[in-house]
Amino acid sequence: MTSAIASSGTKTTSTRQENASPEKFRLMLMMALTLVTGVVDAVGYLGLDRVFTGNMTGNVVILAMALAGAANLPTLGPLVALGAFLLGAAVAGFTLQSSPKGWNRRVTLLLTAGCIALTGTAAISLIVEDVGHQSIRVIVAALIAMHMGSQALIARHLGVRDMTTVVITSTMTSLAGESLVGKQRPRLLNRRLGAVLAMFAGAAIGVLLLQIHLSVPIGLGIAITAAVTVLGSRRWH
């Protein structure tokens, strides 16, 4: 009987490990997309004249301050990026509204389209010499923001807990108010901190790569998004 109990315990442990493995894999994919957000936000803010391409809260605040009379703040770029983000989210929502939760062909299609959009922005920055011209900056920001809106909706559709890929304010709130001081055993090293660090690392990497050329951090975003697309389509389930 002892051996039967031991065997049962071993099976239970094995089952838990098998169930945890797909969840960790999905979490890593969402972490990778969160890192991409940090990269492209660095591109937008530093390379495209203070435009947030993933963090729309920043654009709303910039627009509010500019409209209230604050000097030397952009309005066109943040406004267009905000509209493009909403458009990307709306298109993704329409595409996914009748599909079951989780990864499916439509998710793959949307992320592939995002890779194409990012590739277009990299090509523009390479081909057009005067990338500092306002109209060019606005076009590049809009394309990136449209993809980020789609990515945000995809993250909601996939439903990996605490992984929005574009917003970390709510994640930091949960980290401080639940992970650190909650009723359960406090945990600092968890997915919430991981999301914050992924965004932080992405922004830092974006700044470093911007010193080479605008297209370089965008290229990194393309590579990571493409890798997530391929791996997710093959192994999500």
Side-chain angles (χ1 to χ4, degrees):
M1 182 173 180
T2 302
S3 60
I5 294 175
S7 177
S8 176
T10 302
K11 290 180 179 179
T12 301
T13 302
S14 177
T15 300
R16 287 177 179 174
Q17 291 175 344
E18 290 176 357
N19 290 337
S21 181
E23 178 63 20
K24 288 181 179 179
F25 172 74
R26 295 165 186 164
L27 180 61
M28 289 302 102
L29 293 188
M30 294 297 100
M31 289 281 192
L33 292 181
T34 303
L35 187 143
V36 171
T37 301
V39 171
V40 298
D41 260 341
V43 170
Y45 195 81
L46 296 178
L48 302 174
D49 191 24
R50 291 176 291 178
V51 176
F52 287 100
T53 54
N55 179 15
M56 290 301 111
T57 302
N59 286 332
V60 171
V61 172
I62 289 175
L63 285 171
M65 292 189 295
L67 292 175
N72 300 320
L73 285 177
T75 54
L76 180 61
L79 184 62
V80 172
L82 183 61
F85 184 95
L86 294 175
L87 177 61
V91 171
F94 178 79
T95 303
L96 296 173
Q97 65 179 346
S98 61
S99 61
K101 292 292 184 180
W103 199 289
N104 52 59
R105 291 182 179 179
R106 296 184 184 184
V107 171
T108 301
L109 176 63
L110 287 169
L111 286 177
T112 301
C115 287
I116 295 172
L118 291 179
T119 301
T121 64
I124 291 172
S125 67
L126 285 170
I127 296 171
V128 179
E129 294 183 2
D130 188 15
V131 74
H133 193 277
Q134 185 181 32
S135 60
I136 301 300
R137 292 199 303 262
V138 168
I139 292 172
V140 172
L143 289 172
I144 298 175
M146 188 180 300
H147 165 59
M148 298 312 297
S150 176
Q151 176 182 294
L153 200 286
I154 289 169
R156 290 177 62 87
H157 182 80
L158 294 176
V160 178
R161 185 168 56 88
D162 294 319
M163 291 291 112
T164 65
T165 77
V166 295
V167 179
I168 61 169
T169 302
S170 58
T171 304
M172 293 179 72
T173 303
S174 299
L175 173 65
E178 298 174 5
S179 298
L180 301 183
V181 299
K183 293 181 179 180
Q184 298 180 349
R185 181 169 61 89
R187 293 184 303 158
L188 176 61
L189 299 177
N190 59 17
R191 65 177 61 206
R192 291 164 178 166
L193 179 62
V196 175
L197 293 178
M199 185 80 76
F200 183 92
I205 292 170
V207 171
L208 294 175
L209 294 181
L210 270 172
Q211 298 177 25
I212 304 173
H213 191 270
L214 184 69
S215 63
V216 177
I218 297 175
L220 176 62
I222 296 168
I224 295 175
T225 305
V228 169
T229 304
V230 172
L231 291 172
S233 63
R234 292 182 177 180
R235 295 181 52 193
W236 186 269
H237 295 294

